[in-house]
Amino acid sequence: MTLLTPAAGNAGLLLLADSRVPSGGHVHSGGVEALVDRGLLRDVEDLTLFLAARIRTTALVTASLTAAANTAAANTAAANTAAANTAAANTAANTAANTAANPVSGKWSYETTCHSRGWSCWDAAVEVRTPVAALREASRAQGVALLRTALLAWPQDSGVRALAELGRPHQPLVLGAASAAAGATPAQAAVLAVHHLVGGAATAAVRLLGLDPLRVAAVQAGLAPLVDETAARAASAAELAVHADDPDLLPADATPLPEIMAELHHASEVTLFAS
């Protein structure tokens, strides 16, 4: 995976990539537990096929949403900085009367411009691409958990703060905004999203089946080219969608079996993972 570059905020990226960061992801199996319980995922070979399919579908969608959120959050921060600089310049250059006649508040955010519906639109884009109620709730629960961490880690970041106004945003949006605050590019945010999806499912498989963690790590390494390819596609789609201000341009690939399994898992009385 090409996650780090010399110019990137590598420390922040590594923090977000670390499974120990309080984000709520450790209680979710990414659909693995439901398949294991029904004998549909039994060994490393099954896990490899499952992960490859998930990367091509669910991960593509999640990564594109994360990359789009990264761009939206970065745009918010950049616009805030530009407006603040303009306000400071006007204050220094203009007389009090001129300033009164041409007020510049210095505040630009999703709450005060046409972007006031911006995060809601992208949140709705996640919603419609997550047809199963149990998975929607899992996404929002993880989003809230990660948002708490992001607000403490980057309290001054305007993109993260604006996203918090949604209350319970979906996880891809929070990961995208947090990655922007950490200095990541949209492409890096996309890789990060796929990394979390693959890593969470792989870890769950080790816990549920007692698989050899060394072999599972080898599976993840073997899937790295597919991860990079998928993340690149996701970042390209996100760039087009954000430029057009149209979330409908994002991928919507899906497979029905994991969604059916998610509902069955949600209805189960005893489970190790929340989803």
Side-chain angles (χ1 to χ4, degrees):
M1 301 180 193
T2 41
L3 181 61
L4 304 180
T5 65
N10 289 343
L13 278 175
L14 288 172
L15 175 67
L16 289 172
D18 194 334
S19 61
R20 294 169 296 181
V21 170
S23 63
H26 66 285
V27 299
H28 298 272
S29 73
V32 169
E33 185 171 21
L35 295 172
V36 169
D37 287 348
R38 290 156 183 83
L40 298 175
L41 198 159
R42 296 161 294 181
D43 50 33
V44 171
E45 287 70 28
D46 288 344
L47 177 64
T48 303
L49 293 173
F50 171 76
L51 291 177
R54 293 288 273 176
I55 291 169
R56 291 186 174 94
T57 53
T58 303
L60 174 63
V61 175
T62 300
S64 67
L65 288 159
T66 302
N70 173 283
T71 302
N75 288 348
T76 301
N80 267 306
T81 300
N85 290 340
T86 299
N90 285 344
T91 299
N94 297 331
T95 63
N98 187 45
T99 301
N102 301 280
V104 180
S105 69
K107 182 180 180 182
W108 189 103
S109 72
Y110 273 74
E111 296 89 350
T112 58
T113 71
C114 63
H115 289 279
S116 59
R117 67 184 188 91
W119 282 121
S120 295
C121 287
W122 296 106
D123 195 69
V126 184
E127 192 85 354
V128 299
R129 286 164 174 77
T130 315
V132 175
L135 294 181
R136 291 197 297 271
E137 176 56 31
S139 175
R140 291 196 183 279
Q142 292 179 79
V144 169
L146 181 57
L147 183 60
R148 293 194 189 103
T149 300
L151 286 170
L152 288 173
W154 299 281
Q156 302 305 317
D157 185 82
S158 53
V160 172
R161 295 202 315 272
L163 182 57
E165 295 298 318
L166 282 182
R168 300 184 77 239
H170 280 289
Q171 189 269 352
L173 301 187
V174 182
L175 183 59
S179 66
T185 65
Q188 290 169 327
V191 174
L192 192 61
V194 185
H195 165 77
H196 278 297
L197 186 146
V198 172
T203 299
V206 171
R207 293 176 63 184
L208 291 164
L209 292 168
L211 300 179
D212 180 355
L214 301 181
R215 291 191 64 194
V216 172
V219 168
Q220 292 178 260
L223 291 171
L226 178 59
V227 170
D228 283 335
E229 176 190 339
T230 300
R233 289 178 58 201
S236 296
E239 182 180 9
L240 292 174
V242 174
H243 181 74
D245 195 25
D246 186 2
D248 288 347
L249 297 178
L250 293 173
D253 303 59
T255 50
L257 181 59
E259 295 167 355
I260 295 170
M261 291 293 105
E263 281 297 322
L264 293 176
H265 181 273
H266 182 68
S268 299
E269 293 185 3
V270 181
T271 60
L272 180 61
F273 293 92
S275 71

